[in-house]
Amino acid sequence: MNLGVPTRKVRIAVQFSMFSLWAALVFLTKYPIDSWLTDILPVSLFLRIDPLVMTVVCGGMRMAVTITLLGLVTLGISLLLGRVFCGWVCPFGTLFDFVGWFLRRARVKFEGPSPSWFRLKYYLLAAIILFSLFGGVSPLMGLDPIVIITRVAATVIEPFGKSAHLWSVDDPMKYFGAFVDFSTLLLFMVIMAGTTRLSRIWCRTACPLGAYLGLTSRYSILRRDATGCVHCKICANHCPTGAINFQNEEIYNESECIKCFLCSSECPVDANKFVFTKPTPIAPSHHPVSLERRALLATTVATAVAAPLMRLEAGETNSSKRLLRPPMSRDERDFLASCIRCTECIKACPTGVLKTSGTENGLRAFWSPVLIPTEGYCKEGCNACSEACPTDAIMKYPIEKKYSYKIGTAMLESNRCISYTERKFCSECIKACPTNAIDYEVGWEPEGGFQANGADFPAPDGKTPTRPIYVDFEKCVGCGACEFECNKIVFGEPAMITTSYGRGAPTSL
Amino acid sequence: MNGDVHQITIEQNHMGTTFELTVSGPKSSLEKNETALLLAHEIISQLENELSEFKTESEVNRFNSIKAQIPIKLKETTSRLLSIALKLEKITSGAYSPFTKSPKNIFLEPDRGVDFLSNGEIVKSHSDIYLEFGAIGKGYALDIISEYFLRSGIRNFCLSGGGSSIVVSGKATQSTYWPLAWSWSKDQDGCPLGVEMQYENEEPIALGISGFHEKGQHIKLKRPNSILSALVAHPNAALADALSTAVISSGWTDEMESLSTITDTAPGVAVIEDDHVPRWNSVFQTLIKAPFLISASLIGLTISSILSRFSLADDGMIDLSSLGVDDFNPYLLERNAAWILLPVVIIVLIIVHTKRVKILRRDRNPEDPT
């Protein structure tokens, strides 16, 4: 049966629509997540339809993380039709095609056969999957194309949007401490530079999702039929993923074909058709990718060694005490088994308190979101990070229950507090606390009391100012507001330190 | 009504409550369905005559009024129900029991006090032992009606025994499933509060609900626990009915251990604790959710409609906590090791890819990796 090939314009229209939808959803991933589009669709829709996300999260967690099960739809489509997702839906692929359109107009030669190391993506996929078998999501999941492009939007582009006065000399840059995620920026630049040398080089060589869909499309029923080929090599030259054999164009690789139908539209003799046919036995002209057994074995061994080592690797000394996760995050083991490093939560956070972790919390936590109270604080009445999370690593919760469970607990280091060291009336931490968790002793107060600006008023001789005494464990939720305010005043380490102590424990609120 | 589909509902009072039986089907079967419904009520009425402890001529009353050590042979229906009840007593480690005693002997006698003779007769070891099928009677009646309907070729029906024991099968209309809801408290105006659920599978399923917000008189507490309402889903209504009572009596932890001994069809269990915290097991989650996922994929609904439904499903069917309950605990997990199969399948696929190395090496041009 002849399928009848969609024109190039149809595919471009679909790609444009999908990319626009993705961009709109990413743009709307900000507090408050409240628009007609986000009422209909989840902001993390493209991550939720990613079957690799579903596999590693459900496999790693050993449970049905239901919001990821939409990946089954993409998986079903791939099983039937091949890598349609890559050619028609993937926003990263659309970006590559857009760049390719420019390069083609500039007459830059960037098409040709895949490099010999194009199987790398399969080994990366094997490593990611093996990690999930060991019960976790490795930072390698950060190489998933939807995750990368989302992370670029969240950690490279978004900070510029948050810093309104970036270019002003009068107003210092607010999020200077961890402005953009340079590792993501570097990775993105390398990928885009590579794309100018070879079309869709990421899809061909390193995309783990492409490898995943390549595996599942092995038995797809929509296949290319090049009967009548005159061997002009036009199709092979135009194939964006190098799926068509350059020596014999009748042979192509089903696992690499993204069903863009460019070969059909470019063929001068209409010899490239796509037909529905029986998937088995696989015809010689439909050879799937073959993997080197030794390389696969080496990948398995390396992962088997790395998985426990990464668990043992706990990062810098005392880093776990300062490792704060977003509110309602699963416990640390489950969090690392479900966080895919997409940084949607960071994109959604209105205060900029969420940042990506480097290696300071251990290699295993690389690219995962952490709460840095010196950069901001967890806003009262906001659950945007939870709504944005595509895997429930940050669990969904009703906003009125925000303070039911703790992020951590703040500790007072009185030897750094200016109300102790300099006997100044400050009390900024007491004013900032949304749950009145900081107990204080009443002493001297300037005119205006608590409304007075902090740190400007030393107490008269022989008197002590009103000052914090301790933090009530059952009331403190670990939002970091006290540390954020303290950090503005105290030179050096703030006196209020938010720790991960008590994470996940219920509060008395 | 939807197109050529009609629904008929006939309500009648039996067993101290209202049985609401509804059948859906094509208009051509209207007469047949109506007759079936009337017959079903008649069957329940006959059952009540056998099982009621308040009717002097009932089988249960005949057993209850007999003296110790005098053999008695019960009718087949009652005998069958008794054997089901005894199995349930074993499964629930006594949390559910069909036997009761008068208050004066409650501390003096053991719970069980009957012996089964080889000729099918039974004898009471003590006169003060009484049969009481309150916890499973309605469910048993619904099982019988369900069997009767299926035998008669009626596949689309919703049977309710007082609202706390329900059996649904097939669809309400051509395009919608039977609406289900679970309520465990009321608001200030007396309107029920709870959740709506979706069971999107056409196979018959029974829901048994017990709770202290209802009368709760059939619940024999072994010890206090914190469960306000329990819902059990199982193909067998009598079992669902009894297990919901047992979960209330024994508590979540004990009862989940007991239920693990049921090897044929595991029941789906969900509970609301006193502080309105919901808990449910993976079977319940599967029953209510997974069939929708699979069927939606298979029948090829348009992607847009699936996406919009899923986007709303987040805080809908599974996350009971966000549907109006007063308290909230996000740290409840139901793991199932079977999910490891997902990555395992992919690993197998990768290994399959290694099997063609030799063929490809022979065919392949070394300069061309494809």
Side-chain angles (χ1 to χ4, degrees):
Chain A
M1 182 179 65
N2 193 331
L3 175 68
V5 176
T7 64
R8 176 185 284 190
K9 284 182 180 173
V10 172
R11 188 172 69 91
I12 290 171
V14 173
Q15 280 190 296
F16 179 75
S17 308
M18 288 295 161
F19 188 86
S20 303
L21 179 62
W22 170 82
L25 289 172
V26 168
F27 176 75
L28 293 170
T29 309
K30 59 184 179 183
Y31 173 80
I33 298 177
D34 182 20
S35 69
W36 66 268
L37 186 60
T38 52
D39 285 344
I40 304 168
L41 298 171
V43 288
S44 54
L45 173 69
F46 282 77
L47 290 157
R48 293 191 192 185
I49 61 175
D50 184 334
L52 181 56
V53 170
M54 174 192 70
T55 306
V56 298
V57 173
C58 293
M61 290 285 288
R62 315 285 196 262
M63 64 181 280
V65 182
T66 46
I67 70 169
T68 68
L69 294 183
L70 198 52
L72 285 171
V73 177
T74 310
L75 194 59
I77 292 170
S78 300
L79 286 168
L80 284 175
L81 305 178
R83 287 173 61 182
V84 176
F85 181 86
C86 302
W88 293 65
V89 179
C90 178
F92 212 14
T94 303
L95 190 61
F96 293 144
D97 287 348
F98 186 62
V99 171
W101 179 75
F102 269 111
L103 294 172
R104 214 170 277 120
R105 287 176 72 88
R107 298 189 183 283
V108 176
K109 179 164 172 48
F110 74 115
E111 288 161 327
S114 297
S116 58
W117 47 279
F118 80 114
R119 293 179 192 81
L120 172 67
K121 61 177 176 286
Y122 291 97
Y123 302 124
L124 278 175
L125 173 68
I128 289 171
I129 298 291
L130 284 166
F131 268 110
S132 82
L133 281 179
F134 286 112
V137 173
S138 77
L140 288 175
M141 190 60 202
L143 302 179
D144 180 284
I146 315 289
V147 170
I148 290 180
I149 194 167
T150 307
R151 202 169 61 243
V152 168
T155 65
V156 177
I157 299 172
E158 175 69 9
F160 289 90
K162 278 184 179 158
S163 296
H165 306 290
L166 182 64
W167 310 114
S168 166
V169 292
D170 299 329
D171 196 352
M173 194 155 65
K174 194 175 174 187
Y175 304 110
F176 186 76
F179 185 58
V180 296
D181 177 18
F182 282 99
S183 57
T184 300
L185 177 61
L186 187 65
L187 175 67
F188 182 68
M189 288 172 69
V190 168
I191 293 170
M192 296 318 287
T195 305
T196 63
R197 305 298 301 273
L198 188 62
S199 62
R200 283 198 180 230
I201 189 170
W202 180 258
C203 313
R204 295 186 193 210
T205 59
C207 177
L209 177 59
Y212 184 104
L213 297 177
L215 292 174
T216 53
S217 63
R218 178 187 169 96
Y219 301 110
S220 76
I221 58 169
L222 179 61
R223 289 178 181 267
R224 175 174 170 264
D225 179 3
T227 310
C229 173
V230 294
H231 302 282
C232 63
K233 290 193 171 38
I234 290 176
C235 56
N237 270 315
H238 277 84
C239 181
T241 56
I244 298 174
N245 191 307
F246 268 70
Q247 304 303 315
N248 179 1
E249 298 92 319
E250 288 185 48
I251 296 177
Y252 86 114
N253 192 327
E254 174 60 27
S255 294
E256 299 293 297
C257 175
I258 58 169
K259 301 290 159 56
C260 64
F261 304 118
L262 266 180
C263 50
S264 293
S265 58
E266 297 294 338
C267 182
V269 293
D270 285 339
N272 279 282
K273 299 182 187 69
F274 280 83
V275 294
F276 286 116
T277 184
K278 282 185 181 176
T280 53
I282 296 170
S285 60
H286 299 157
H287 277 321
V289 175
S290 68
L291 299 179
E292 301 291 345
R293 289 188 183 193
R294 277 185 206 168
L296 186 63
L297 189 63
T299 306
T300 308
V301 171
T303 310
V305 172
L309 279 181
M310 282 176 71
R311 271 195 191 183
L312 292 175
E313 210 277 296
E316 295 171 1
T317 311
N318 289 336
S319 64
S320 61
K321 291 183 183 173
R322 292 286 277 151
L323 178 59
L324 298 170
R325 296 297 189 187
M328 301 295 179
S329 294
R330 294 186 191 275
D331 73 55
E332 187 62 11
R333 186 186 172 282
D334 283 340
F335 184 81
L336 287 173
S338 53
C339 173
I340 56 169
R341 278 62 165 181
C342 67
T343 63
E344 281 269 22
C345 49
I346 295 174
K347 173 75 178 68
C349 180
T351 65
V353 67
L354 290 178
K355 303 289 178 197
T356 48
S357 171
T359 56
E360 69 274 14
N361 297 307
L363 197 56
R364 203 167 169 236
F366 190 62
W367 276 335
S368 61
V370 288
L371 210 118
I372 310 287
T374 51
E375 299 283 322
Y377 59 96
C378 190
K379 187 179 169 70
E380 191 176 2
C382 167
N383 63 352
C385 55
S386 136
E387 283 190 45
C389 182
T391 64
D392 270 358
I394 307 168
M395 286 174 283
K396 307 280 179 281
Y397 60 94
I399 191 65
E400 64 273 17
K401 299 297 175 190
K402 171 155 183 152
Y403 292 145
S404 298
Y405 294 88
K406 292 161 73 75
I407 302 170
T409 309
M411 303 283 175
L412 172 65
E413 280 284 344
S414 57
N415 58 353
R416 291 202 291 268
C417 176
I418 60 168
S419 60
Y420 286 84
T421 57
E422 300 174 34
R423 291 195 301 111
K424 282 184 174 174
F425 174 81
C426 172
S427 305
E428 289 300 309
C429 54
I430 300 168
K431 282 191 275 181
C433 181
T435 60
N436 297 323
I438 302 173
D439 203 357
Y440 57 94
E441 63 178 7
V442 178
W444 175 83
E445 290 176 13
E447 192 176 342
F450 270 78
Q451 302 306 315
N453 287 329
D456 290 341
F457 306 98
D461 287 344
K463 293 189 175 178
T464 55
T466 295
R467 58 190 184 184
I469 310 170
Y470 73 96
V471 180
D472 186 340
F473 177 85
E474 293 193 342
K475 282 187 184 171
C476 177
V477 292
C479 68
C482 53
E483 183 174 346
F484 179 64
E485 293 300 329
C486 186
N487 189 50
K488 291 178 183 172
I489 292 164
V490 177
F491 189 77
E493 279 282 294
M496 278 291 181
I497 299 287
T498 317
T499 70
S500 57
Y501 178 56
R503 172 179 167 184
T507 65
S508 61
L509 302 170
Chain B
M1 300 286 279
N2 183 10
D4 289 336
V5 176
H6 76 272
Q7 278 183 17
I8 320 175
T9 303
I10 297 183
E11 281 183 18
Q12 283 184 18
N13 291 332
H14 310 284
M15 301 184 178
T17 189
T18 304
F19 275 72
E20 186 181 304
L21 311 183
T22 306
V23 170
S24 168
K27 274 188 176 170
S28 55
S29 61
L30 186 65
E31 199 173 330
K32 175 191 162 193
N33 289 348
E34 198 170 351
T35 311
L37 280 175
L38 290 169
L39 267 174
H41 277 295
E42 185 57 37
I43 292 169
I44 300 172
S45 187
Q46 285 174 13
L47 262 179
E48 186 184 8
N49 288 339
E50 279 192 34
L51 304 179
S52 171
E53 48 194 301
F54 305 109
K55 297 197 174 181
T56 47
E57 72 277 16
S58 77
E59 284 291 282
V60 168
N61 216 23
R62 197 158 67 87
F63 173 89
N64 289 346
S65 56
I66 206 161
K67 301 284 183 197
Q69 305 305 332
I70 298 176
I72 177 174
K73 190 169 179 70
L74 295 172
K75 281 187 183 173
E76 190 187 340
T77 322
T78 314
S79 182
R80 193 173 138 204
L81 181 56
L82 180 58
S83 62
I84 293 172
L86 293 174
K87 273 184 197 167
L88 284 168
E89 187 182 30
K90 195 174 173 187
I91 288 170
T92 60
S93 309
Y96 163 76
S97 173
F99 300 110
T100 58
K101 295 161 292 200
S102 60
K104 64 181 181 178
N105 287 324
I106 200 156
F107 298 112
L108 303 178
E109 298 290 339
D111 269 357
R112 282 288 307 280
V114 294
D115 291 317
F116 290 82
L117 305 179
S118 55
N119 59 0
E121 293 178 329
I122 56 176
V123 288
K124 290 160 72 166
S125 59
H126 193 285
S127 299
D128 193 23
I129 297 290
Y130 304 107
L131 261 183
E132 197 265 315
F133 291 124
I136 64 171
K138 282 182 295 179
Y140 182 60
L142 294 185
D143 276 335
I144 287 178
I145 301 305
S146 175
E147 278 174 29
Y148 161 65
F149 279 167
L150 292 172
R151 272 203 315 273
S152 309
I154 299 170
R155 301 206 63 83
N156 301 310
F157 52 84
C158 177
L159 317 174
S160 166
S164 62
S165 191
I166 295 165
V167 176
V168 294
S169 171
K171 286 182 164 182
T173 68
Q174 282 171 337
S175 57
T176 57
Y177 293 90
W178 293 104
L180 294 172
W182 176 21
S183 168
W184 53 85
S185 61
K186 291 181 177 173
D187 66 10
Q188 291 171 340
D189 302 326
C191 295
L193 290 176
V195 293
E196 291 181 2
M197 296 179 294
Q198 291 282 346
Y199 174 69
E200 300 189 346
N201 187 327
E202 295 181 34
E203 291 301 311
I205 188 82
L207 303 179
I209 300 167
S210 284
F212 285 107
H213 57 291
E214 296 166 1
K215 287 182 289 184
Q217 287 160 355
H218 59 288
I219 298 165
K220 288 163 282 207
L221 269 184
K222 286 172 73 180
R223 58 180 170 73
N225 68 72
S226 59
I227 294 177
L228 183 68
S229 181
L231 184 153
V232 174
H234 192 270
N236 186 299
L239 190 139
D241 212 358
L243 288 183
S244 64
T245 310
V247 171
I248 286 280
S249 300
S250 297
W252 174 267
T253 309
D254 288 356
E255 204 50 42
M256 294 313 282
E257 278 179 22
S258 303
L259 296 186
S260 63
T261 60
I262 302 176
T263 52
D264 48 356
T265 308
V269 184
V271 299
I272 301 295
E273 298 188 333
D274 270 348
D275 47 5
H276 291 258
V277 175
R279 302 178 81 168
W280 61 93
N281 70 351
S282 54
V283 180
F284 177 79
Q285 186 164 315
T286 310
L287 277 171
I288 301 300
K289 181 75 174 175
F292 165 69
L293 283 168
I294 296 163
S295 58
S297 308
L298 291 181
I299 62 176
L301 289 173
T302 58
I303 288 178
S304 59
S305 68
I306 298 174
L307 296 187
S308 59
R309 292 197 71 166
F310 270 91
S311 69
L312 300 173
D314 272 352
D315 31 30
M317 287 178 272
I318 293 305
D319 188 4
L320 298 175
S321 54
S322 61
L323 287 174
V325 291
D326 293 340
D327 214 335
F328 165 78
N329 188 335
Y331 299 106
L332 298 173
L333 297 176
E334 281 293 338
R335 294 188 202 273
N336 188 334
W339 282 97
I340 205 171
L341 286 175
L342 258 179
V344 167
V345 167
I346 300 302
I347 291 291
V348 169
L349 271 175
I350 295 174
I351 292 169
V352 166
H353 263 52
T354 66
K355 287 187 176 175
R356 290 184 175 270
V357 168
K358 284 180 185 172
I359 302 167
L360 283 176
R361 274 185 180 159
R362 194 175 60 231
D363 294 346
R364 206 175 67 203
N365 184 317
E367 292 177 2
D368 186 347
T370 63

